Amino acid sequence: MHRRLFFAIVRRRWLIAALVVATLLLLCPRPDPEHLTQQGWRVLAIVVVAVMLWVTEAVPLPAVAFLIAGGQVLLVHKTPDEVAASFMKDSVFFIIGSLMLAVGIVRQRVDRRIAFLLTKISGPRTIWIALGVLSASTVIASFVADHTVAAFMLPVALTLVSASGQDEAGQRRLARLLLLAVAYGCNIGALGSPSGGARNIIMMDFWENMYDTHLGYAEWIKWAFPIVLLQIPGAFVILWFATRPHPRELPAAVAALRQQVAEEGRMGAREWAAVGIFAATLLAWITVGDTVGLGMIAVLGGTCYLVFGLVDWSDYNSGVNWGVVFVYAAAISLGHAMKETGAAQWVATTMLVQLGAWGITGGFALLAVFAIVTLLFTNVMSAAATVAVVAPILLQMAVDAGLNPVIAGFVVALAAAFGYVTTFSHPPNMIVYGSGRLRSRDYISVGWKVTLMSIAALFVMAALYWPHLAVPQAGM
Amino acid sequence: MTKSRPRPHVLICVGSEEFSEDTIRFGAQSAVALEADVSVLYVSSTAARSFRPELALARTKLREWELDLPGVRVLRYAREILAEMGLAARDENGEVVLRHALRPGIRGAYELHLVGSYGEEVRLRLREGGIVEQIVEELDTHHYSVVVLGAPQRRRLLHDIVQFANASVLIAKNAQRHYYDLLLPVDDSEAARRARHIAGIVAHTLRLRVLVLSIAASEQERAAAQAVAEREAGIVARRGIEVQAESAVGDVVEEICKAAGDDHIIVLGASRQRQVWKYLFGSRPIRVVQRAESPVLVVKEIEEFAF
């Protein structure tokens, strides 16, 4: 076989494997005809193939989204309008609007202001600079899309590293500390509020539409933000002792950073307008989100940036990843299909029977299983896709085992943020890795420790804090 | 009117700064000796194509802060080494002379074009994507005589590049020495004849000594192996090259690596086995490349060295 032809086939091996798997699954008789419908079996086939394509990126991710749509029409026999409607819900608008707001913030060079504040507060001591970078990344990523925060904190960290005056080994240690602080800070922060990450919005959609349970913007913060704060010191201690940076002070680096941002001058009207629009949007989410819809508010906020001339449409065109929006939409649609066809119920029942044989029937043990399963998925594919695939099943398991789906859902959504070990699981990891200053094994060697810390924090919250909160019941 | 020979073109593939100095120097030495055009390629391996807008946003911020794009630092480092070795011309201020600054969209890559010291083309190129895909695409879109790369830690990467590259492959393993002899393993195969032809050209051009090695499976076959080695050595010696013929008994790959030590460049012809077989089970040249402790040249086509 010719070299070029064979290479073209090798490059598409995962696509070929996915097609083979799809064919086999569709031709095989369904394993449990009494409890699993034909449509449910086909939805599971779509899920398996979608996961293969998401993990391997054998085709561009938006193509997977459209294959999911087409699969539901052709194989599950949903109507085109039904499928299209499942793609464009308020939750999808929320994702779009959040991404637009993030672009609006970035265009106003807010990163320079943050860097300036950082130098003022932290001073030249390395420990305070690192804690400042981690804290800033975490807190901002709680409300602004995590990849955006990673994008504008990256140059701050790189400037500190480059201007530190250290030799190569010293710069490498400092890079590990500050760049991982940016990546992990964004991952930790992204679960702090619904606008922090698409996975949060997907989970809220599932609660609302599958279990008739509504959770507002402020309520999510009440449940999740404390775990964000709890993880900051834990992550910092791990990063500090894993990287052991020296020297203890970075006066040259801080001076270089101050010089960079001093040129900005005072905040002008445009910047105040940008911050004001974002703050107004945040306030609207908290106060009227339940009536107007979080998604509507988000896109209106993004539209305000356009109306006031703070951004052009070309900024949104290039800065918003429209392809990934389709992926999130497809993920929501697929989750609903799993619930409606009984596929999620069948898998949930099967798994509960198996876990029951191992003595796991509910309570913390079952929640631990949820966290571990989510963790395994989220380190090989995006957090949103993880939630879309596992949440319908795990939520059903929770209900069948007598657990509240809100608590189970929080465990899943928060665990989906714990993608610290691979460079490709979450956009902040990719962005920081793309600087060329980190190696993939840096993520592995530090990430597994941060993972354990995050799981511990999650269960501390589940045991000590969440029991004191009023759990939304179905229909409330 | 005689037709001018095409100038050879060497592609040097680099990774991070800390691991690329030897590869760049080795490749540059080869290019100087062959009077070749040189391109240095850095592949920025982006983990997820679907997050390119997010990565583009990060790059926009880096540019705003006047920080180097990832990969540019490595290419700048390569530029300094090439200038130090006399490949890139400098002006009266000691600055490297550019034909054009870093520009996107030149045959699928960002490119920085330098003025060569002796009129040759010197290019620094930056691609994004999977490492193997981008190297293969670079080799397919422009004619290169040989691609020089270091020894990546991922063995599969080396395997795939050697199998799919559309040029001879020179792996610069432990390439810190300034002088190497050539080791030419021989048998009766077409691949060995190709390797012999190229080893002869290279040894003659660079005035290197050649060790011809034939390997027998057992002591009973050693005499026949020695005869093959001496026959092949005689052919190589016709170019006026200093040649030595030896034989060995044992596993072919192990004996080649043992004989090469760290002071021979091993010259092998690429296997003509089926692509599927090579992909799944490898080939002898690929196994030598993975086991050797010295540079290895895998020769694909003789025409690449028609200069």
Side-chain angles (χ1 to χ4, degrees):
Chain A
M1 187 189 301
H2 192 267
R3 173 193 64 87
R4 286 182 84 161
L5 174 61
F6 185 66
F7 186 57
I9 292 171
V10 164
R11 283 181 74 176
R12 286 158 183 76
R13 59 191 183 279
W14 289 113
L15 175 60
I16 294 168
L19 290 172
V20 168
V21 166
T23 308
L24 287 174
L25 285 174
L26 291 173
L27 291 176
C28 279
R30 60 188 193 270
D32 185 0
E34 196 182 328
H35 298 105
L36 180 64
T37 63
Q38 184 68 22
Q39 286 167 317
W41 177 238
R42 289 179 175 181
V43 165
L44 288 177
I46 294 172
V47 169
V48 168
V49 173
V51 168
M52 285 181 71
L53 295 177
W54 271 328
V55 172
T56 62
E57 255 197 289
V59 295
L61 293 189
V64 182
F66 295 123
L67 288 172
I68 289 171
Q72 289 185 72
V73 172
L74 296 172
L75 299 173
V76 188
H77 306 301
K78 287 183 143 191
T79 66
D81 282 340
E82 271 181 83
V83 174
S86 70
F87 265 62
M88 193 47 73
K89 303 157 73 80
D90 188 65
S91 41
V92 178
F93 265 34
F94 191 10
I95 295 169
I96 292 171
S98 299
L99 294 176
M100 289 165 71
L101 288 165
V103 170
I105 292 278
V106 161
R107 290 286 180 261
Q108 308 316 316
R109 295 160 74 99
V110 167
D111 43 315
R112 305 238 175 200
R113 305 295 171 195
I114 294 166
F116 181 72
L117 264 175
L118 197 63
T119 57
K120 278 197 88 171
I121 295 171
S122 67
R125 296 203 60 191
T126 311
I127 192 168
W128 297 124
I129 291 172
L131 184 58
V133 168
L134 176 66
S135 303
S137 303
T138 305
V139 172
I140 300 170
S142 293
F143 301 97
V144 178
D146 54 4
H147 73 273
T148 310
V149 178
F152 67 63
M153 290 301 292
L154 178 65
V156 176
L158 286 178
T159 301
L160 289 166
V161 171
S162 306
S164 63
Q166 295 296 294
D167 60 11
E168 210 172 298
Q171 281 202 18
R172 184 148 154 66
R173 281 187 176 162
L174 194 58
R176 283 179 80 208
L177 173 64
L178 295 180
L179 294 178
L180 287 177
V182 171
Y184 291 166
C186 292
N187 288 342
I188 290 169
L191 45 86
S193 83
S195 54
R199 74 205 78 138
N200 307 337
I201 302 156
I202 292 173
M203 182 58 72
M204 291 169 78
D205 180 277
F206 287 169
W207 283 327
E208 180 97 41
N209 292 292
M210 293 180 188
Y211 297 97
D212 198 22
T213 301
H214 177 77
L215 211 78
Y217 191 95
E219 276 190 277
W220 180 289
I221 294 175
K222 202 167 54 173
W223 280 75
F225 198 72
I227 192 178
V228 169
L229 298 177
L230 185 63
Q231 290 184 81
I232 293 176
F236 178 72
V237 167
I238 291 170
L239 282 171
W240 185 261
F241 285 103
T243 56
R244 296 186 187 276
H246 52 75
R248 297 304 188 192
E249 293 200 350
L250 298 169
V254 171
L257 198 59
R258 280 194 180 140
Q259 195 180 354
Q260 277 268 18
V261 301
E263 296 154 10
E264 290 298 300
R266 298 167 77 93
M267 268 178 71
R270 288 176 66 91
E271 286 154 309
W272 282 116
V275 172
I277 290 171
F278 190 85
T281 307
L282 192 56
L283 190 63
W285 278 331
I286 293 169
T287 54
V288 298
D290 292 349
T291 46
V292 177
L294 296 178
M296 280 301 143
I297 294 170
V299 293
L300 286 172
T303 305
C304 285
Y305 279 114
L306 278 171
V307 165
F308 287 102
L310 300 175
V311 296
D312 291 331
W313 180 250
S314 59
D315 293 322
Y316 283 157
N317 220 7
S318 57
V320 174
N321 192 340
W322 298 102
V324 163
V325 171
F326 286 117
V327 174
Y328 296 148
I332 293 171
S333 174
L334 189 60
H336 284 291
M338 289 172 71
K339 174 76 172 161
E340 287 157 9
T341 57
Q345 177 69 72
W346 181 76
V347 176
T349 305
T350 308
M351 283 181 65
L352 277 174
V353 165
Q354 185 59 57
L355 289 171
W358 296 337
I360 301 171
T361 53
F364 266 99
L366 191 59
L367 291 177
V369 169
F370 291 173
I372 291 168
V373 167
T374 307
L375 206 54
L376 292 173
F377 273 90
T378 202
N379 275 289
V380 295
M381 62 188 205
S382 81
T386 295
V387 168
V389 166
V390 305
I393 297 167
L394 299 183
L395 290 178
Q396 191 61 56
M397 285 174 70
V399 167
D400 291 350
L403 292 175
N404 190 291
V406 170
I407 293 178
F410 267 116
V411 169
V412 171
L414 301 190
F418 301 163
Y420 306 118
V421 177
T422 58
T423 60
F424 51 85
S425 53
H426 292 193
N429 295 4
M430 278 181 242
I431 286 169
V432 164
Y433 179 66
S435 68
R437 291 283 202 158
L438 293 179
R439 297 178 195 146
S440 52
R441 64 172 183 259
D442 291 326
Y443 286 82
I444 298 171
S445 65
V446 181
W448 71 269
K449 296 170 194 166
V450 181
T451 303
L452 289 180
M453 180 278 301
S454 292
I455 292 176
L458 174 60
F459 281 95
V460 162
M461 296 301 286
L464 300 179
Y465 175 61
W466 287 347
H468 299 288
L469 299 179
V471 180
Q473 301 298 325
M476 285 172 68
Chain B
M1 195 163 138
T2 53
K3 200 174 171 184
S4 63
R5 284 184 182 167
R7 194 196 286 272
H9 196 164
V10 174
L11 175 69
I12 306 172
C13 297
V14 297
S16 62
E17 280 171 57
E18 64 191 288
F19 296 119
S20 294
E21 183 180 352
D22 291 343
T23 305
I24 299 168
R25 290 188 184 280
F26 188 73
Q29 271 178 307
S30 309
V32 167
L34 298 173
E35 294 177 17
D37 292 337
V38 174
S39 292
V40 178
L41 174 69
Y42 176 83
V43 179
S44 176
S45 64
T46 49
R49 288 176 294 171
S50 301
F51 290 99
R52 289 245 168 101
E54 285 85 348
L55 293 168
L57 180 62
R59 283 196 194 114
T60 303
K61 299 311 290 183
L62 289 176
R63 273 197 291 271
E64 280 178 17
W65 283 70
E66 294 171 11
L67 291 165
D68 279 338
L69 295 177
V72 172
R73 235 186 23 199
V74 178
L75 290 181
R76 186 169 293 143
Y77 177 71
R79 183 186 67 184
E80 292 310 309
I81 295 178
L82 293 178
E84 180 198 313
M85 296 183 70
L87 268 165
R90 290 193 194 266
D91 61 19
E92 56 273 9
N93 298 322
E95 297 291 324
V96 173
V97 182
L98 306 182
R99 283 200 204 280
H100 64 71
L102 195 68
R103 254 186 230 167
I106 300 183
R107 286 182 291 114
Y110 285 83
E111 183 178 278
L112 180 69
H113 193 168
L114 311 179
V115 174
S117 298
Y118 308 105
E120 65 276 34
E121 301 287 330
V122 181
R123 291 185 163 94
L124 306 178
R125 293 172 59 73
L126 173 63
R127 281 179 168 266
E128 286 181 319
I131 292 173
V132 175
E133 286 82 3
Q134 293 304 313
I135 291 175
V136 171
E137 197 170 315
E138 177 74 17
L139 293 169
D140 281 345
T141 54
H142 193 84
H143 178 73
Y144 289 97
S145 310
V146 63
V147 53
V148 182
L149 49 145
Q153 289 175 335
R154 283 160 45 201
R155 288 161 63 94
R156 186 72 221 187
L157 203 68
L158 202 51
H159 177 142
D160 288 347
I161 293 172
V162 170
Q163 177 170 355
F164 295 116
N166 187 26
S168 295
V169 183
L170 176 56
I171 295 94
K173 271 192 176 186
N174 298 322
Q176 294 96 5
R177 298 170 66 91
H178 290 289
Y179 181 82
Y180 289 89
D181 293 327
L182 295 187
L183 172 67
L184 176 64
V186 294
D187 57 21
D188 289 322
S189 67
E190 184 266 337
R193 279 195 290 279
R194 235 182 305 130
R196 181 195 69 205
H197 182 84
I198 298 310
I201 293 174
V202 171
H204 175 74
T205 307
L206 304 181
R207 295 195 188 87
L208 304 177
R209 294 177 302 201
V210 179
L211 169 62
V212 175
L213 177 70
S214 178
I215 298 155
S218 64
E219 276 300 332
Q220 288 80 12
E221 295 167 25
R222 188 169 197 145
Q226 183 66 31
V228 168
E230 285 169 6
R231 182 193 73 210
E232 298 294 312
I235 298 172
V236 174
R238 287 182 208 155
R239 292 179 184 262
I241 299 163
E242 190 182 329
V243 186
Q244 192 181 336
E246 283 185 13
S247 60
V249 176
D251 175 73
V252 172
V253 172
E254 271 194 45
E255 291 303 319
I256 290 172
C257 297
K258 199 166 38 171
D262 63 354
D263 57 356
H264 286 77
I265 298 174
I266 304 169
V267 183
L268 300 164
S271 164
R272 297 281 204 224
Q273 279 175 318
R274 290 181 189 278
Q275 295 286 345
V276 177
W277 184 271
K278 271 197 286 193
Y279 186 74
L280 294 174
F281 302 113
S283 63
R284 199 169 283 164
I286 288 173
R287 283 192 286 279
V288 169
V289 158
Q290 289 171 337
R291 301 261 313 259
E293 294 297 319
S294 63
V296 181
L297 172 63
V298 179
V299 175
K300 294 290 184 91
E301 302 294 343
I302 291 174
E303 290 73 27
E304 290 156 0
F305 289 81
F307 46 76

